[in-house]
Amino acid sequence: MLLPITFFIFTSLPFFTWPSVAVDTIAPNQALTDNGETLVSSGERFELGFFSPPNSSNRYVGIWFNNVPQQTPVWVANKNNPITDSSGVLSITATGNIIINNNRTNSIVWSSNSSSTTASNPVLQLLDSGNLVVKNVGGNDNSGNYLWQSFDHPCDTLIPGMKLGWNLGTGQEWYITSWKSLQDPSSGDYTYRLDPHGLPQLVLRQGYSTVEYRSGPWDGVRFGGGPELGQNPVFSPIFVFNASYVYYSFENNVDSTISRFVLNQSSLLQHLTWNQGRGEWVDIITLQGDNCDTYALCGPYGICNINYTPDCECPDGFTPRLPQDWNGLDWSGGCVPKTQLNCSTPEPGGFRKFSRLKLPDTSNFLVDATATSPEECEAACLRNCSCVAYAKTEASGCVVWFGELLDIREYNEGGQDLFIRMAASELGSNNNAKRTAVIASVSVVSGVLLLGLISYCIIRKRTAWWRGAQRLENPNQENNQSAEDEDLELPLFDLVTITTATTNFSFTNKIGEGGFGPVYWGKLSTGQEIAVKRLSKDSGQGLKEFKNEIVLIAKLQHRNLVRLLGCYIHGEERMLIYEYMPNKSLELFIFNQIRGTSLHWQKRFDIIVGIARGLLYLHRDSRLRIIHRDLKASNILLDSEMNPKISDFGLARTFGGDQHEASTNRIMGTYGYMSPEYAIDGIFSVKSDVFSFGVLVLEIVSGKKNRGFYHPDHDLNLLGHAWKLWNEGNPMKLMDAYMENPVPTSQLLRCIQLGLLCVQQRPEDRPTMSSVLVMLDSENPMLPQPKQPGFYSERFLVDTESSSTGKKPQTSNELTVTMLHGR
Ligand SMILES: *[C@@H]1O[C@H](CO)[C@@H](O)[C@H](O)[C@H]1NC(C)=O
Ligand SMILES: *[C@@H]1O[C@H](CO)[C@@H](O)[C@H](O)[C@H]1NC(C)=O
Ligand SMILES: *[C@@H]1O[C@H](CO)[C@@H](O)[C@H](O)[C@H]1NC(C)=O
Ligand SMILES: *[C@@H]1O[C@H](CO)[C@@H](O)[C@H](O)[C@H]1NC(C)=O
Ligand SMILES: *[C@@H]1O[C@H](CO)[C@@H](O)[C@H](O)[C@H]1NC(C)=O
Ligand SMILES: *[C@@H]1O[C@H](CO)[C@@H](O)[C@H](O)[C@H]1NC(C)=O
Ligand SMILES: *[C@@H]1O[C@H](CO)[C@@H](O)[C@H](O)[C@H]1NC(C)=O
């Protein structure tokens, strides 16, 4: 059927082809050949032509953005059937079928299958929207009734005008499928599709059945009620849900914006926008923002909240089904009601309200649009004893759930209300109230000596930052500062310079969200690139931490520490201006399969040495002794040559010359990097930084996060796993599977041993940073045998008695300490 037509065209019609002229239509007597130059161009925005993905010689017909220098295909025609040389020819038949022919083998590589009897004078046209359409010349073009359109056949990308969902009338579905790899656009493992049953929601699956993530139901404003995909300065989400259509789409707020929504080959769902100034794609939204977005992480009835430690909790009235697994951070068993509902009683239970939730998933829920009031909805649920929960949504009316509730998460703001059913006896008791972060009960040393040391430390610090602060708040005094006021030799930036550099803190200049506020990229008029950390007014970083950070950092000069260029303080508004690190943080590399492969062993080793040098400088060589307290992969920034620089001194503490440890009742740090004596007793010293450094070394070697490490054979975390492999004589098994092979074995082994030495349970067993550097630098050092690591099996803190700080408290009083962690 196809062949005779093609044969006819290829033999009988003289093709007209263009060398490098941009046109926007192809008629049946024309063709687009792969001579490397020809393109079809729609106005200004999109181009269609033959291309090869990076590092691939395969040729594909695709559509990409015209004014994005880094070729970014949004649609690929023959994605599953590449042409291996440049003999491809794109044309359209007289019946409106688009074909890509291999002119060497004279075979059809791809066909749109859009032959139509209604075709009369069809042409292929690339519209300004990026939509490639087949339409009848002279036909009613703008009605959207095309014979065929690429927007109906999405690949991995949505651009404005494309849809994700269903035409309920025709049963046609639009969904996106990931590429196999950066080099290979053929259909990969992941799909993101709209599930139209019950409450419409978007679901990311691996293969046909494994759910990886779901958006949560549409609530009328956004999906799942969470912050993702809500209103933002770049684009507006569109959701249509009526009798004919249910789909998600978006439009750019400003017409000239270039933005796209893409399902990455590594299953990441991101909305990106092109930043002209920086010449790169900036992700404004990553849907799977954190752990809690992992589908059903907390099991049936479990509630995930990223601010809890650990992330999962059972709702009030429920208790872990398998307490032992639950405490071992395997939450898949979920929760069960403390008291089973008894349906033979006249009044089978009631409801407890839970707020700010992403509504649960379940294979079995009913939507009852007729129940309009909450009372009706509650009554509807009470009528059937298998009903476990209900919610009243703006978009869909009353929803009732049957079966287990899965994948509930709690947000800090936004979200929806869910009413979970439970036995009346559970409702009566009011001792439920609190579900807070894990509170660790901690005994604190209150020896007189130690108290003295602490107040010394505090007073010292106060005066230091206070002097600095005064100068900062009165910039006019800058000229008559006294010589003794050497705390701050730091340029004060003015607001105009900063706003100009960051294009008025434009959303597309935002490069990250630090623990204490957003970070923006900017370019000074001198051409220097900067990173501006703008502290949010309600950030946890009070004036105290801010000044602490300035005073500390201003004095530090080392090639492995990120350099502070200046700051800005005016009233509530506070900003820190740093040198810009183009490669962002180490975390983005070592825990990412794709970027991880680019990090060769030698580079990893250099990074380890660099961090060690920076840390040694902090501990010993700088004028102050500084404990960083929050060393972690995301705080190691990488410059253009991948040199590591330690950043984020918001929690750092200075020490007096002869002071060796201190204690705090405000334990702040990051879970997974905190040493036992610090996490449990609040005691920190250079050795707690050494512990974090050891964790970091093992993470760099293994490419695995300590926190959240999972191994099918045991319950150990990464430290325990490394320790186990070490004792079994298999330490090389720890090596990142994505690292090149072979690597210098002795050097790698030395790093593993060193990492284990640094994470030993007792602080006094851990080496100092200067011995760490000696061990790293010498060829064949004699390293001691590591002893048992701290926190190697406990995946989270349970009791305090097991701690061993090497000291017995003289008098101890119970103090409640909230574990906070800066993510
Ligand atoms: C392409 O290959 C070169 C050399 O192997 C490598 O340096 C580069 O990173 C690769 N590019 C991509 C996008 O994979
Ligand atoms: C296909 O190849 C033939 C012979 O190799 C050549 O004459 C013809 O021009 C080619 N067609 C196109 C459209 O390039
Ligand atoms: C066109 O039809 C053929 C044969 O049914 C099929 O293999 C091919 O995938 C179809 N092409 C498209 C773009 O759907
Ligand atoms: C459904 O929504 C679409 C898009 O807004 C609209 O074009 C269509 O007419 C609507 N259909 C019905 C039945 O309301
Ligand atoms: C997918 O993610 C990787 C790493 O995050 C990135 O390098 C790549 O450009 C992304 N791919 C697409 C198609 O956006
Ligand atoms: C349920 O309640 C009925 C009536 O009060 C009682 O007879 C029965 O034993 C209860 N069942 C359970 C499992 O508690
Ligand atoms: C309760 O709901 C379930 C699920 O929809 C249904 O199978 C069952 O028949 C209902 N029971 C009653 C008594 O209505």
Side-chain angles (χ1 to χ4, degrees):
M1 320 121 298
L2 284 173
L3 271 174
I5 298 164
T6 338
F7 183 72
F8 166 72
I9 286 174
F10 272 82
T11 50
S12 321
L13 283 176
F15 275 114
F16 169 62
T17 60
W18 320 267
S20 63
V21 192
V23 294
D24 72 347
T25 55
I26 300 180
N29 63 338
Q30 298 171 321
L32 179 72
T33 59
D34 187 7
N35 64 7
E37 286 175 70
T38 36
L39 291 170
V40 175
S41 165
S42 74
E44 289 294 298
R45 304 196 171 190
F46 292 92
E47 280 174 355
L48 170 118
F50 286 87
F51 76 99
S52 293
N55 285 356
S56 161
S57 57
N58 286 339
R59 304 295 289 168
Y60 299 90
V61 170
I63 298 171
W64 55 85
F65 295 98
N66 193 1
N67 23 21
V68 171
Q70 170 189 329
Q71 195 178 56
T72 312
V74 295
W75 185 77
V76 184
N78 55 323
K79 60 176 191 169
N80 290 318
N81 205 0
I83 305 165
T84 49
D85 56 23
S86 57
S87 51
V89 179
L90 173 77
S91 60
I92 175 173
T93 68
T95 54
N97 197 18
I98 315 170
I99 48 177
I100 302 171
N101 191 66
N102 186 332
N103 196 23
R104 186 171 46 78
T105 59
N106 203 14
S107 60
I108 294 177
V109 169
W110 180 85
S111 156
S112 64
N113 298 342
S114 54
S115 277
S116 160
T117 49
T118 62
S120 61
N121 281 336
V123 291
L124 185 61
Q125 181 173 15
L126 181 60
L127 303 181
D128 216 18
S129 58
N131 194 4
L132 181 69
V133 301
V134 177
K135 64 178 194 183
N136 289 326
V137 172
N140 193 1
D141 295 335
N142 300 325
S143 66
N145 290 329
Y146 303 113
L147 297 176
W148 181 91
Q149 55 178 327
S150 63
F151 274 13
D152 278 344
H153 305 274
C155 293
D156 67 339
T157 303
L158 291 186
I159 52 177
M162 294 180 83
K163 304 181 180 80
L164 195 59
W166 295 79
N167 178 339
L168 297 170
T170 63
Q172 177 179 25
E173 186 187 3
W174 305 278
Y175 67 94
I176 52 177
T177 309
S178 66
W179 285 24
K180 245 196 190 98
S181 70
L182 273 181
Q183 287 74 39
D184 181 2
S186 63
S187 304
D189 249 6
Y190 303 99
T191 56
Y192 195 47
R193 310 171 69 152
L194 190 138
D195 218 332
H197 310 293
L199 295 173
Q201 55 179 358
L202 292 159
V203 181
L204 172 72
R205 285 191 183 81
Q206 180 174 25
Y208 283 108
S209 50
T210 315
V211 178
E212 296 247 312
Y213 163 82
R214 66 182 185 108
S215 64
W218 180 258
D219 72 349
V221 182
R222 55 187 65 162
F223 284 103
E228 306 104 345
L229 277 191
Q231 287 300 330
N232 67 76
V234 174
F235 69 94
S236 305
I238 299 171
F239 192 75
V240 171
F241 183 23
N242 62 28
S244 342
Y245 292 102
V246 50
Y247 65 79
Y248 169 76
S249 177
F250 68 92
E251 61 189 12
N252 291 327
N253 294 345
V254 177
D255 192 47
S256 58
T257 300
I258 298 175
S259 89
R260 64 188 169 116
F261 178 74
V262 60
L263 169 56
N264 203 310
Q265 59 277 4
S266 36
S267 88
L268 225 49
L269 287 156
Q270 289 182 313
H271 200 114
L272 303 143
T273 180
W274 178 255
N275 183 315
Q276 202 68 48
R278 274 158 70 192
E280 65 182 37
W281 288 102
V282 183
D283 59 331
I284 39 181
I285 289 165
T286 297
L287 287 194
Q288 304 96 320
D290 52 47
N291 245 355
C292 283
D293 282 328
T294 310
Y295 184 73
L297 181 76
C298 301
Y301 295 104
I303 296 186
C304 198
N305 186 326
I306 206 67
N307 292 329
Y308 297 163
T309 308
D311 296 335
C312 291
E313 295 261 314
C314 287
D316 296 334
F318 287 76
T319 183
R321 191 167 64 87
L322 307 167
Q324 207 161 357
D325 289 0
W326 186 272
N327 291 342
L329 299 201
D330 173 2
W331 301 298
S332 53
C335 310
V336 289
K338 283 182 183 151
T339 315
Q340 282 298 333
L341 213 54
N342 184 346
C343 285
S344 29
T345 55
E347 207 188 319
F351 296 89
R352 175 170 284 147
K353 178 177 173 182
F354 294 85
S355 298
R356 304 187 310 280
L357 299 189
K358 172 181 184 175
L359 292 181
D361 199 17
T362 155
S363 49
N364 198 356
F365 55 75
L366 292 179
V367 179
D368 182 358
T370 59
T372 46
S373 71
E375 291 76 24
E376 284 175 276
C377 202
E378 176 172 337
C381 188
L382 278 176
R383 275 196 289 274
N384 186 326
C385 198
S386 338
C387 176
V388 293
Y390 77 89
K392 176 83 186 59
T393 66
E394 288 287 316
S396 315
C398 173
V399 189
V400 291
W401 277 261
F402 300 94
E404 294 177 322
L405 305 177
L406 280 178
D407 196 38
I408 317 175
R409 82 171 281 180
E410 183 181 73
Y411 297 108
N412 293 332
E413 51 183 312
Q416 290 156 286
D417 291 340
L418 177 73
F419 296 83
I420 300 182
R421 191 172 189 176
M422 51 192 72
S425 59
E426 288 300 330
L427 291 170
S429 67
N430 219 2
N431 53 1
N432 56 67
K434 266 192 286 175
R435 284 187 297 119
T436 50
V438 167
I439 306 274
S441 217
V442 172
S443 35
V444 155
V445 182
S446 61
V448 175
L449 175 69
L450 201 48
L451 264 180
L453 275 176
I454 297 164
S455 28
Y456 168 73
C457 181
I458 291 170
I459 289 164
R460 226 187 102 87
K461 206 152 45 57
R462 268 223 180 116
T463 47
W465 66 249
W466 186 235
R467 256 185 281 136
Q470 279 174 324
R471 225 193 86 205
L472 283 170
E473 273 155 5
N474 299 299
N476 302 343
Q477 290 178 4
E478 207 180 343
N479 297 330
N480 54 19
Q481 60 180 288
S482 60
E484 57 138 72
D485 189 4
E486 51 169 11
D487 271 331
L488 258 153
E489 287 134 17
L490 198 61
L492 292 160
F493 279 68
D494 64 77
L495 194 57
V496 178
T497 311
I498 303 176
T499 49
T500 313
T502 58
T503 351
N504 206 5
F505 300 103
S506 126
F507 202 65
T508 59
N509 279 49
K510 193 165 147 185
I511 49 178
E513 190 76 45
F516 300 115
V519 183
Y520 296 87
W521 169 88
K523 198 172 201 169
L524 298 176
S525 53
T526 58
Q528 180 170 25
E529 293 183 274
I530 54 171
V532 180
K533 179 168 162 185
R534 188 181 198 182
L535 301 164
S536 45
K537 297 183 181 85
D538 52 353
S539 73
Q541 184 164 16
L543 200 58
K544 179 169 154 185
E545 281 101 353
F546 180 65
K547 285 168 179 164
N548 184 17
E549 182 161 5
I550 301 183
V551 174
L552 275 178
I553 285 210
K555 292 179 179 170
L556 302 175
Q557 297 283 340
H558 188 272
R559 66 185 299 265
N560 293 115
L561 302 183
V562 72
R563 207 152 63 84
L564 184 65
L565 303 173
C567 64
Y568 173 84
I569 298 189
H570 189 266
E572 291 272 88
E573 183 78 87
R574 309 198 287 267
M575 292 181 247
L576 291 170
I577 293 98
Y578 293 96
E579 56 179 335
Y580 174 63
M581 294 287 134
N583 277 318
K584 314 217 171 100
S585 85
L586 182 61
E587 187 184 32
L588 294 179
F589 282 86
I590 52 177
F591 304 133
N592 183 294
Q593 219 187 78
I594 296 163
R595 294 196 203 94
T597 33
S598 70
L599 213 54
H600 298 291
W601 169 248
Q602 193 50 49
K603 202 71 242 176
R604 291 184 197 225
F605 185 73
D606 292 347
I607 288 172
I608 292 174
V609 173
I611 301 170
R613 295 223 168 97
L615 207 49
L616 176 64
Y617 172 83
L618 290 179
H619 285 178
R620 203 191 61 183
D621 297 345
S622 64
R623 280 191 291 157
L624 300 149
R625 295 165 60 83
I626 292 170
I627 316 285
H628 186 286
R629 293 211 301 168
D630 199 16
L631 198 66
K632 55 178 167 181
S634 60
N635 278 343
I636 307 296
L637 303 186
L638 299 167
D639 70 5
S640 54
E641 265 110 53
M642 302 291 284
N643 294 313
K645 303 205 179 211
I646 301 174
S647 79
D648 215 333
F649 295 78
L651 300 183
R653 289 291 174 272
T654 51
F655 264 22
D658 50 356
Q659 189 186 0
H660 294 293
E661 65 174 43
S663 124
T664 177
N665 56 14
R666 204 167 161 219
I667 300 175
M668 297 175 74
T670 301
Y671 201 76
Y673 293 93
M674 281 190 277
S675 60
E677 74 278 7
Y678 178 48
I680 295 175
D681 289 344
I683 295 173
F684 59 92
S685 65
V686 290
K687 296 298 184 70
S688 30
D689 275 356
V690 170
F691 184 93
S692 311
F693 173 78
V695 175
L696 209 44
V697 169
L698 295 174
E699 289 186 335
I700 294 173
V701 169
S702 66
K704 303 259 176 359
K705 268 193 172 91
N706 184 31
R707 182 172 195 223
F709 177 83
Y710 171 74
H711 196 282
D713 297 345
H714 55 65
D715 275 345
L716 305 174
N717 62 15
L718 177 66
L719 305 188
H721 180 59
W723 170 242
K724 184 168 179 283
L725 291 176
W726 179 262
N727 286 326
E728 291 168 358
N730 276 328
M732 288 300 282
K733 280 199 180 152
L734 194 66
M735 187 178 118
D736 188 347
Y738 295 100
M739 210 144 61
E740 85 280 9
N741 238 329
V743 298
T745 313
S746 66
Q747 211 178 38
L748 192 101
L749 281 178
R750 189 157 15 115
C751 283
I752 295 173
Q753 189 168 5
L754 181 73
L756 284 170
L757 286 170
C758 290
V759 298
Q760 290 175 108
Q761 170 86 37
R762 292 153 49 91
E764 50 274 47
D765 289 339
R766 298 175 206 145
T768 60
M769 283 321 290
S770 47
S771 20
V772 164
L773 266 168
V774 171
M775 298 183 210
L776 282 172
D777 283 343
S778 48
E779 261 313 307
N780 279 311
M782 280 296 296
L783 264 54
Q785 278 303 312
K787 296 183 200 155
Q788 172 185 317
F791 280 156
Y792 68 100
S793 67
E794 303 109 293
R795 284 206 176 145
F796 73 112
L797 316 174
V798 252
D799 79 288
T800 57
E801 309 309 310
S802 61
S803 80
S804 103
T805 58
K807 287 186 185 64
K808 280 264 166 285
Q810 297 154 331
T811 55
S812 69
N813 41 6
E814 286 287 288
L815 197 82
T816 306
V817 170
T818 311
M819 302 283 305
L820 302 167
H821 47 205
R823 281 168 194 268

